[in-house]
Amino acid sequence: MARHQNIRNLDYEAELEEYGAFSDEEEEELSPEDQVRMREGTAQVLEALGVEAHKVPKTQIEESLWHYYWDVDKTITYLISKYIDPPKKPAKTAPPKTAPKQDAAIASASRQSFAHLFRDLPWGNIPPERQAVLIPPPQLPAGLLGGSGAPPKMSKLQQLAAARKKKAEEKSASGEVEQTQVKMTELTVNDNQASKENRPLAGVFGKRVKISETTAQGRIPLTMAEPTRPEIPQAQAPEATPSQHQEEDPIDPEPAVAPPKAQPSAFASTLFGPSSDSPKRRPREVFALPYMAISSYSPDAFGKPSPDDVVLAAQAKVATAGKKSANVHNKKGSSSADGVTNQVSQLKIDDTPLPKSRNLNVLSEFEKQKGKKTASFVVVGHVDAGKSTMMGRLLLDLNVVDQRTVDKLRKEAEKIGKTSFALAWVLDQRHEERSRGVTIDIATNRFETETTSFTILDAPGHRDFIPNMIAGASQADFAILVIDASTGAFESGLKGQTREHSLLIRSMGVSRIIVAVNKLDTVNWSQERFDEITHQVSGFLTATGFQPKNIAFVPVSGLHGDNLVRKSTDPAASWYTGKTLVEELEASEPSARALAKPLRMTISEVMRTPQSSISITGRIDAGSLQMGDALLVQPSGEKAYVKSLQVDDGEPADWAVAGQNVVLHLSNIDPIHVRVGDIVCDPAKPIQCVDTFTLKALAFDILMPMQVDVHRGRLHAAGKIEAIDAILDKVTGKVTKKKPMIVKPGTVSRVRVTLHSKVPLEAGQRVVLRSGGQTVAAGLLE
Ligand code: GDP
């Protein structure tokens, strides 16, 4: 068995018992001398008690003898009063009484001195096995033990016992003195800093002081005489050098170990002055903090970067810049903490050369190119309407994804028992989203037809994802509204999410909408059903603000691909002779591009790519940009440069214009200044950051001064409706009522909104107001 196992298996208690560690016998064992006294005393007591002796236990005789220091007379008196003839009345000279009840003791105490009272107590009814606990420590006054305040008359045996005690006391006292002297010696060594001017420095002692001095120079005021905060470089502050610990550690226990009454030796007095309570003595609180004197402590010490933070930041920066090592900083110790912080921030050395610009005239390049037109669309509709499946099928039929990919996805879908999800997964292949069964973000997917390059902004219809839908809609040229035509589904969907989505996309500036009446295969391609839905939805959309010429209806089956890219071959669908969904998409004119306006682009994604440590994606809302351009990121106000870029199809490009979705690879900017929802703009004509604005809003719910969340694209900001200035006429925009208390749903009004923080916003932008998870209004910034 290994040694440690042996140790682990030891039965410590058994072992200790064997060695008598728990035995009381050893503690109580009398010396041979005492044993003789005990024998003799017991014999005398038994003899004196005579026939009554049997009433007294032998152990009590011994205990009494022991406690009376072999005083046979007292022992006999006590034992008689206790066991043989307990007195009715307390006699003046009576031995200690039993006083079984506390009441009796109190009554007795009222008539007698306190000395009598205490005399009775120690031997009350305490069981013999516990009496040892009551053995008084030697330094206690004898009065408490002997039953009287006056020194008792001593027998020979008592004298012997007393002499023995005294000897022991002297021994322990001399031990304490020795200890004290040792401590005093330690004190003379440790306290060198306070009194160094008074004593010679030599040998090891001198060396220690030098180390301490070196340490102290840069960091620690060791006396209270130094009232101002030393010029401490924060980079050094937290480290306590070993020498410093040597100096400080022994100081702390000092007050605890010094005996209160001990007088310093003559040598110590010479060194320290008259006594340990001398006012010259250095106040202990100087050392209360390991690296900072109390006098220099400031309550705002934590308002700044911690010394550790500063050290780390300094080391990282200095290492990057290839400058001095952090050690150099640590040794300096002359600059202030603030100075170091400033220096660190000034160490921002970015030696990345600025990307070169080809100074192209982007607009004329765009005119020359005459490529395919580009269009982005958003897909909206309630959950399970079939949006993802339809888009997956579209990509499959347009050969954007191959059958093999779909088959693979179908196998994966089978594993979780949701085969029909395979097509939906084409749009978004991120695994964690698949396992959740929902797509949770805008997945941009592109496809091309002969005439147009399309970008799908997939916006799932789940209620929680409405902010994403707002972001998608804010970038879309037009929308596909997917409606589930299967029995009952349409009705429930129309009332809920479909209605809100339609309102939202219209409010976000989307003016063209293609309604895909989906899942017609489930109703056997019923034309009646299609017409019924068409009728209801067109009325509804017109009321929402879409013009009839901008609304198109296509009966489809997303799952089977009918009327998406190819016409349905199902005979039951032969009644439909109109355009396929793709033909409708191609017929949709993209909105006019704000090409000549200042650059504006909302950041949809921030990521690290092989091209750059910071790449951003988004759709250019206005203006144009090219490689090498300087950009301003708002609200951080930091500048960045376009190192390279990719446009819609992911191909590298030299320039991009409004309407295109781009990936910009940036340089010369710290990623912490770039966030999703920020706006990239022209540094010469930047977007302003505001915390208050006026909005011409269409109310979806009752509006009043209330807390709201403001959404613009991917930007979310908390704020509140500060005031309602006026109700406006829906058509003319004229004021119909000033300062209304509330605004009813469906009404257009002018509201003033304040935000909790400044965000980049400007006139002409569309924003949505939400409250309690509901969209309450949408409108145009004035
Ligand atoms: P989303 O929540 O709108 O994206 O809906 P999904 O694309 O996830 O589809 C929801 C369910 O409807 C899935 O089980 C699909 O298989 C099913 N589905 C979608 N389109 C059709 C269709 O045209 N016909 C039939 N029969 N089922 C469909």
Side-chain angles (χ1 to χ4, degrees):
M1 195 185 283
R3 193 161 164 243
H4 68 275
Q5 281 172 318
N6 265 331
I7 290 168
R8 201 186 300 155
N9 294 339
L10 255 176
D11 182 348
Y12 288 105
E13 287 196 9
E15 293 287 320
L16 288 169
E17 234 161 36
E18 198 182 334
Y19 284 101
F22 294 147
S23 163
D24 289 336
E25 284 164 24
E26 192 178 84
E27 272 181 27
E28 292 179 5
E29 196 174 299
L30 300 175
S31 66
E33 200 182 3
D34 286 341
Q35 283 175 9
V36 173
R37 287 184 196 131
M38 182 65 84
R39 261 200 311 277
E40 288 172 359
T42 309
Q44 286 173 30
V45 170
L46 287 173
E47 193 184 339
L49 294 178
V51 288
E52 305 284 357
H54 69 277
K55 294 183 180 173
V56 185
K58 196 185 169 202
T59 51
Q60 279 302 313
I61 298 172
E62 288 173 351
E63 290 296 340
S64 301
L65 277 169
W66 175 249
H67 291 299
Y68 281 109
Y69 298 113
W70 320 119
D71 188 330
V72 174
D73 294 341
K74 281 195 173 187
T75 304
I76 290 167
T77 313
Y78 164 69
L79 292 173
I80 288 172
S81 69
K82 167 95 174 147
Y83 294 100
I84 297 166
D85 184 23
K88 300 269 185 306
K89 286 181 187 175
K92 207 176 180 183
T93 52
K97 288 199 316 171
T98 313
K101 289 191 179 175
Q102 211 177 358
D103 293 350
I106 294 166
S108 171
S110 65
R111 291 186 298 273
Q112 297 181 18
S113 70
F114 278 105
H116 279 86
L117 175 67
F118 286 118
R119 187 181 59 187
D120 291 347
L121 289 177
W123 296 278
N125 282 323
I126 299 167
E129 69 274 11
R130 291 188 57 202
Q131 288 183 8
V133 177
L134 297 175
I135 294 173
Q139 68 268 33
L140 287 178
L144 278 179
L145 301 165
S148 157
K153 192 188 165 191
M154 280 184 158
S155 67
K156 272 186 184 175
L157 284 174
Q158 277 178 300
Q159 282 170 4
L160 269 170
R164 191 186 58 179
K165 269 198 308 171
K166 198 177 169 192
K167 205 171 152 192
E169 274 173 15
E170 280 171 3
K171 202 175 168 189
S172 85
S174 75
E176 279 177 19
V177 170
E178 271 168 33
Q179 253 190 340
T180 307
Q181 282 169 351
V182 168
K183 293 290 175 192
M184 290 302 288
T185 317
E186 283 174 7
L187 283 178
T188 55
V189 172
N190 294 333
D191 217 9
N192 55 30
Q193 193 63 31
S195 54
K196 66 180 179 185
E197 68 277 7
N198 294 332
R199 53 198 159 74
L201 305 175
V204 177
F205 184 70
K207 273 182 202 162
R208 286 188 62 185
V209 172
K210 276 180 192 165
I211 296 165
S212 170
E213 282 172 343
T214 316
T215 314
Q217 272 175 7
R219 37 193 298 156
I220 304 166
L222 286 179
T223 66
M224 292 295 276
E226 179 69 53
T228 52
R229 188 173 177 167
E231 292 283 288
I232 305 172
Q234 285 198 8
Q236 294 181 2
E239 287 179 16
T241 61
S243 68
Q244 193 184 343
H245 284 303
Q246 282 173 12
E247 297 300 318
E248 291 173 9
D249 287 349
I251 299 295
D252 270 345
E254 175 193 328
V257 294
K261 299 292 178 191
Q263 293 301 311
S265 67
F267 178 59
S269 300
T270 311
L271 286 178
F272 292 106
S275 85
S276 61
D277 299 328
S278 164
K280 282 183 189 172
R281 194 176 155 76
R282 183 177 67 232
R284 184 173 167 265
E285 54 271 23
V286 169
F287 294 95
L289 291 175
Y291 54 84
M292 193 186 290
I294 287 288
S295 58
S296 65
Y297 174 77
S298 69
D300 65 348
F302 295 101
K304 297 173 184 172
S306 76
D308 281 344
D309 293 342
V310 175
V311 172
L312 290 172
Q315 285 174 345
K317 287 285 181 186
V318 173
T320 315
K323 297 273 173 182
K324 298 171 194 172
S325 76
N327 288 338
V328 178
H329 275 278
N330 288 341
K331 283 174 189 165
K332 266 189 178 175
S334 58
S335 56
S336 69
D338 287 345
V340 171
T341 314
N342 289 339
Q343 282 167 17
V344 167
S345 61
Q346 282 163 14
L347 277 173
K348 187 184 155 191
I349 294 170
D350 192 346
D351 50 4
T352 318
L354 296 182
K356 283 190 183 135
S357 173
R358 288 173 59 192
N359 289 321
L360 298 171
N361 183 335
V362 176
L363 295 190
S364 67
E365 290 290 323
F366 176 65
E367 289 298 320
K368 267 192 267 170
Q369 196 188 43
K370 290 223 167 115
K372 287 181 182 176
K373 63 177 180 180
T374 58
S376 298
F377 62 90
V378 65
V379 186
V380 298
H382 63 82
V383 172
D384 282 349
K387 302 178 292 294
S388 307
T389 305
M390 185 184 296
M391 291 304 110
R393 185 82 212 191
L394 198 70
L395 295 179
L396 177 65
D397 291 353
L398 286 167
N399 298 321
V400 178
V401 289
D402 54 19
Q403 188 62 49
R404 263 185 59 207
T405 307
V406 176
D407 290 344
K408 209 179 109 201
L409 291 171
R410 194 163 278 141
K411 270 186 196 163
E412 281 188 43
E414 269 169 21
K415 278 186 205 162
I416 61 163
K418 294 177 179 174
T419 321
S420 65
F421 277 25
L423 278 171
W425 287 353
V426 170
L427 257 199
D428 197 323
Q429 300 192 20
R430 274 174 289 187
H431 186 73
E432 69 277 9
E433 291 180 4
R434 264 187 256 155
S435 52
R436 284 181 57 194
V438 287
T439 45
I440 57 163
D441 209 343
I442 300 177
T444 54
N445 284 273
R446 298 182 181 88
F447 65 93
E448 283 188 12
T449 62
E450 279 181 11
T451 62
T452 315
S453 171
F454 290 102
T455 301
I456 309 168
L457 304 161
D458 179 40
H462 192 279
R463 184 174 288 270
D464 292 347
F465 300 131
I466 283 201
N468 282 349
M469 207 206 76
I470 294 168
S474 69
Q475 298 180 17
D477 291 313
F478 49 88
I480 296 178
L481 171 62
V482 181
I483 289 180
D484 185 346
S486 56
T487 317
F490 160 64
E491 286 74 13
S492 61
L494 184 70
K495 281 175 200 150
Q497 295 177 26
T498 310
R499 183 187 169 87
E500 189 181 11
H501 295 174
S502 310
L503 275 168
L504 272 175
I505 55 175
R506 183 70 198 101
S507 306
M508 296 309 295
V510 175
S511 56
R512 172 155 171 81
I513 192 163
I514 301 163
V515 183
V517 183
N518 194 28
K519 303 194 190 180
L520 273 176
D521 56 299
T522 61
V523 289
N524 198 28
W525 290 93
S526 160
Q527 186 178 2
E528 205 180 311
R529 179 72 173 157
F530 176 74
D531 288 343
E532 180 198 344
I533 290 172
T534 303
H535 179 69
Q536 285 199 32
V537 175
S538 60
F540 169 72
L541 291 177
T542 314
T544 312
F546 289 96
Q547 293 184 5
K549 65 168 181 157
N550 285 332
I551 307 170
F553 290 89
V554 185
V556 298
S557 168
L559 190 62
H560 303 293
D562 297 70
N563 293 338
L564 294 182
V565 176
R566 54 167 179 81
K567 291 225 185 272
S568 175
T569 52
D570 192 324
S574 59
W575 52 264
Y576 180 72
T577 53
K579 290 177 181 166
T580 61
L581 188 76
V582 166
E583 286 166 350
E584 283 291 356
L585 288 172
E586 286 184 316
S588 307
E589 273 301 312
S591 352
R593 305 277 184 237
L595 297 177
K597 289 193 173 170
L599 173 72
R600 299 287 186 264
M601 181 186 120
T602 307
I603 299 173
S604 297
E605 254 180 297
V606 179
M607 58 206 176
R608 180 185 280 269
T609 58
Q611 289 90 339
S612 172
S613 59
I614 174 145
S615 299
I616 57 173
T617 66
R619 181 175 182 262
I620 302 177
D621 300 319
S624 62
L625 56 82
Q626 61 180 302
M627 228 165 79
D629 271 1
L631 309 173
L632 189 77
V633 180
Q634 286 283 55
S636 72
E638 292 286 321
K639 242 187 198 177
Y641 290 83
V642 182
K643 203 158 72 170
S644 59
L645 68 139
Q646 293 163 264
V647 291
D648 296 313
D649 52 6
E651 283 299 308
D654 292 333
W655 50 266
V657 295
Q660 285 183 308
N661 293 284
V662 294
V663 182
L664 304 181
H665 306 293
L666 304 179
S667 70
N668 305 81
I669 190 165
D670 193 317
I672 59 167
H673 300 304
V674 185
R675 293 168 310 175
V676 168
D678 287 357
I679 289 190
V680 168
C681 60
D682 181 352
K685 294 169 187 165
I687 186 167
Q688 298 304 319
C689 293
V690 299
D691 56 9
T692 174
F693 61 87
T694 311
L695 187 70
K696 198 168 140 186
L698 169 67
F700 300 155
D701 209 329
I702 291 175
L703 298 185
M704 59 184 89
M706 61 202 248
Q707 301 290 330
V708 286
D709 281 331
V710 177
H711 293 254
R712 193 199 63 72
R714 290 206 157 242
L715 180 109
H716 307 199
K720 64 173 178 178
I721 297 178
E722 197 69 49
I724 301 161
D725 288 344
I727 302 276
L728 306 176
D729 183 276
K730 258 189 200 173
V731 184
T732 62
K734 284 187 180 161
V735 175
T736 57
K737 188 178 178 186
K738 283 186 179 174
K739 299 197 182 303
M741 295 293 283
I742 60 160
V743 177
K744 287 184 198 157
T747 314
V748 177
S749 63
R750 179 172 290 126
V751 295
R752 250 184 300 137
V753 178
T754 54
L755 299 169
H756 297 167
S757 56
K758 288 199 168 188
V759 294
L761 284 174
E762 62 188 354
Q765 285 180 335
R766 290 181 181 271
V767 298
V768 167
L769 305 183
R770 306 194 85 220
S771 175
Q774 300 287 330
T775 305
V776 292
L780 202 68
L781 249 83
E782 290 189 320

